[in-house]
Amino acid sequence: MKTEVSWKRRFLRKRLQYMLVCVFVVAVIFVIHQLFYFKELNQATVGKLIAGSVQDTHRVVVGKRADKWNQPYHSKLIRDKNGRTVSLRGTRDQDIAKYLPNVNGKFVCFASKREIDFLKVNDDYCDCPMDGSDEPGTNACSNGFFNCEKSSRKSAARIPSYKVNDGHCDCCDGSDEWAEAAVLYKLSSKFSLCNLIKKNKNRMMQQEPAAGHGTTWSPLDAFQDGAHCEYAVIVLNRPIYWRHDVLLQFWRKARITVTVDGGTQRWLKYLEEQGIDVLNDERYVPNLITGDMDSCPLSLIQKLRSIGSTVIETPDQNHTDYTKALLQVAHYARTRNINLGEIYVLAETSGRFDHIIGNVNTLYKSEKLVGNIRVLQVASNSLTWILKPGLHSIHIPQILVEQKSWCGLLPFGCSVNCISTTGLKWNLNNSTMQFGGLISTSNTYENSEVTVNTDTSVIWTMGIGSLKDNANDEAS
């Protein structure tokens, strides 16, 4: 009896302590439950919002099957309101919550804090240029990053965005080449994605293309017999060495003419040397003047504005004046229903090396800036442009063939895995090109038609000095 009373007394004395322990345990269970609840709620909200904004596979993968091919990011799957699995390409697990819209229903760029419409996430256009956070799954932002689904000791977990869908597997599981996954998966289920891509590329490269396929280039026609499409001319802030009878005619036939910042002053000085005053001859007044306007007198800009030029100041220091000029030309053409086929950019290759490389970088970005309009850089002794993946046929003037003029193929930015050529003195046969390895410089021609079949974008550059010299001889 005493034992029972003693036990009850001890319990009553420590009743408060026992209650506190019980409350603490219940509280811990409640907090853990709430954490899981909010996590699921956030995932459901993201899934609902993302699934509602999906228009194509550039942005988000949505489907009922969560296999490797339909759902390359099954480790980051979330569910939408219909129970479908949803994944935001190129993101990490811990970053999913960052893509929740704010109170205004907008996505907020990580670095600049700029608000953009949620539909613009992964829409293959860079709206957050400071960090590329709006394009985690595409190559639209060159300074962004793509997170591989899996990583290994030989393959990085994260790659630069410009390597996404470039035809070369950088992720060990091939998740960075998602654009080809759906097509190649239909061909076979025996190989990994990277092996499928490589095998398919090699098969395509070895096949003879059917007649009429590929891209044909006749860029010198615009300076001789006349261009076969409407074109624009952009004058950068570089010296102008072209013969006036060739350049002035080329300018007059252009559908859009543009001078960029200090290029405006250079163009007017060039006209003055030919005895031309734009006040008396409006054919040489540029349609458009762009740039941050720090290299051209304001009075000169105002003068040209008064006689018809459209002046657009572009102060953004994150992009070069050349890059911004291409954007403005594309906008100018769209708003005036001009069907541009080519843009010729007068840019001498002499001078500062960083400027030369900056111009090459703009060439690589040109498709994102102007779409399918071809962009060619023109110097007094050379032409330079990008050959995109595929077959290209380049028509070479006979005089350049006879004079053994130089040409080159340069793999800027990344290696070219498979490239073949015909018509050159030293042809490439399913070769790999990269800096530190093989590149094709100081090459020349065997005949007047050169073909290039490449699996990766590559720079084509060709000398035209002998063509200009021959024109001078004929003129004299």
Side-chain angles (χ1 to χ4, degrees):
M1 188 70 179
K2 289 183 178 179
T3 302
E4 182 179 353
V5 173
S6 176
W7 176 84
K8 289 183 178 180
R9 288 176 179 176
R10 285 198 303 269
F11 175 79
L12 291 174
R13 285 199 299 268
K14 296 185 177 181
R15 179 176 56 184
L16 181 60
Q17 297 178 14
Y18 291 142
M19 290 180 62
L20 290 175
V21 170
C22 292
V23 170
F24 177 76
V25 171
V26 171
V28 169
I29 295 173
F30 177 77
V31 169
I32 293 174
H33 177 270
Q34 289 297 100
L35 288 175
F36 278 102
Y37 172 77
F38 283 118
K39 181 179 179 181
E40 293 297 321
L41 180 63
N42 282 342
Q43 288 183 335
T45 304
V46 174
K48 178 180 177 181
L49 291 167
I50 293 179
S53 70
V54 171
Q55 300 296 327
D56 55 55
T57 56
H58 279 68
R59 302 174 188 170
V60 183
V61 183
V62 179
K64 295 181 180 180
R65 295 174 56 213
D67 56 61
K68 179 177 180 179
W69 306 100
N70 192 34
Q71 292 289 346
Y73 295 93
H74 51 278
S75 63
K76 295 185 280 293
L77 294 179
I78 48 182
R79 300 271 178 179
D80 69 2
K81 61 181 180 181
N82 298 317
R84 297 182 303 172
T85 50
V86 181
S87 174
L88 187 61
R89 290 190 188 279
T91 58
R92 302 178 300 173
D93 293 336
Q94 57 264 43
D95 290 335
I96 286 288
K98 296 180 181 179
Y99 287 87
L100 278 171
N102 63 7
V103 292
N104 298 320
K106 304 290 186 179
F107 170 75
V108 181
C109 300
F110 294 174
S112 66
K113 304 304 178 183
R114 176 190 175 192
E115 294 185 1
I116 64 172
D117 192 274
F118 197 81
L119 285 171
K120 294 183 178 181
V121 175
N122 266 354
D123 68 344
D124 209 16
Y125 183 83
C126 192
D127 296 285
C128 304
M130 289 183 65
D131 58 8
S133 55
D134 67 306
E135 297 297 317
T138 75
N139 59 13
C141 297
S142 58
N143 62 336
F145 290 96
F146 178 92
N147 291 277
C148 302
E149 177 192 351
K150 298 178 181 178
S151 62
S152 69
R153 293 181 180 179
K154 296 182 178 179
S155 179
R158 188 173 73 163
I159 63 171
S161 290
Y162 68 81
K163 292 186 176 183
V164 175
N165 290 328
D166 65 351
H168 179 72
C169 286
D170 298 285
C171 297
C172 65
D173 59 351
S175 54
D176 59 310
E177 298 303 311
W178 54 264
E180 279 194 87
V183 175
L184 296 179
Y185 184 59
K186 295 177 182 178
L187 299 177
S188 173
S189 59
K190 300 178 181 179
F191 305 97
S192 69
L193 176 58
C194 284
N195 288 335
L196 280 170
I197 292 174
K198 185 174 181 180
K199 183 175 181 179
N200 189 54
K201 292 287 186 184
N202 291 337
R203 178 177 61 81
M204 293 176 65
M205 294 292 292
Q206 293 169 3
Q207 290 179 342
E208 285 294 328
H213 288 77
T215 304
T216 301
W217 299 85
S218 302
L220 288 165
D221 288 354
F223 298 93
Q224 297 175 320
D225 304 326
H228 301 292
C229 62
E230 291 188 313
Y231 64 89
V233 176
I234 297 178
V235 179
L236 299 183
N237 188 11
R238 300 293 301 134
I240 303 173
Y241 297 131
W242 276 83
R243 284 177 48 224
H244 69 277
D245 56 329
V246 175
L247 183 56
L248 296 182
Q249 182 180 7
F250 179 62
W251 173 281
R252 290 195 300 268
K253 291 182 178 180
R255 192 68 172 82
I256 302 174
T257 54
V258 186
T259 57
V260 179
D261 203 356
T264 306
Q265 194 168 14
R266 289 185 184 271
W267 175 243
L268 294 185
K269 183 178 180 181
Y270 179 82
L271 293 175
E272 184 180 344
E273 292 171 352
Q274 317 310 321
I276 298 174
D277 184 356
V278 292
L279 291 176
N280 299 322
D281 195 340
E282 295 185 0
R283 293 179 299 172
Y284 302 109
V285 176
N287 301 125
L288 191 61
I289 301 173
T290 70
D292 53 19
M293 308 306 177
D294 62 352
S295 302
C296 188
L298 180 60
S299 58
L300 196 60
I301 300 296
Q302 296 296 346
K303 173 183 176 182
L304 291 172
R305 190 201 299 268
S306 67
I307 56 179
S309 292
T310 299
V311 179
I312 300 178
E313 187 171 353
T314 54
D316 185 0
Q317 295 301 310
N318 291 324
H319 303 284
T320 65
D321 282 343
Y322 177 9
T323 299
K324 293 179 287 187
L326 289 179
L327 284 170
Q328 294 302 326
V329 168
H331 178 73
Y332 187 94
R334 283 195 304 269
T335 56
R336 289 161 178 79
N337 295 319
I338 299 173
N339 186 25
L340 279 185
E342 295 172 339
I343 299 175
Y344 291 86
V345 183
L346 301 188
E348 285 297 322
T349 53
S350 61
R352 287 174 52 174
F353 183 70
D354 61 331
H355 285 172
I356 296 172
I357 297 302
N359 290 346
V360 171
N361 184 52
T362 298
L363 274 182
Y364 269 89
K365 296 191 293 184
S366 61
E367 184 177 8
K368 301 170 187 175
L369 302 173
V370 298
N372 292 324
I373 305 174
R374 302 177 181 183
V375 179
L376 302 93
Q377 288 182 184
V378 184
S380 57
N381 61 352
S382 66
L383 283 176
T384 303
W385 67 88
I386 292 282
L387 299 180
K388 299 176 186 177
L391 175 66
H392 300 265
S393 178
I394 307 170
H395 296 300
I396 310 299
Q398 190 61 35
I399 183 63
L400 297 184
V401 178
E402 294 172 357
Q403 296 293 330
K404 298 296 182 182
S405 182
W406 62 268
C407 63
L409 288 160
L410 304 174
F412 271 84
C414 60
S415 61
V416 176
N417 301 308
C418 191
I419 184 169
S420 297
T421 66
T422 64
L424 300 177
K425 184 174 182 179
W426 296 284
N427 281 307
L428 302 167
N429 184 19
N430 293 332
S431 303
T432 296
M433 293 200 309
Q434 62 182 5
F435 280 100
L438 172 70
I439 61 174
S440 178
T441 59
S442 302
N443 213 329
T444 189
Y445 312 105
E446 283 296 314
N447 55 60
S448 59
E449 183 171 356
V450 172
T451 67
V452 180
N453 202 359
T454 178
D455 71 339
T456 309
S457 293
V458 62
I459 285 282
W460 166 266
T461 184
M462 58 185 293
I464 58 174
S466 57
L467 185 70
K468 185 179 67 172
D469 294 340
N470 182 70
N472 286 333
D473 294 340
E474 292 178 356
S476 60

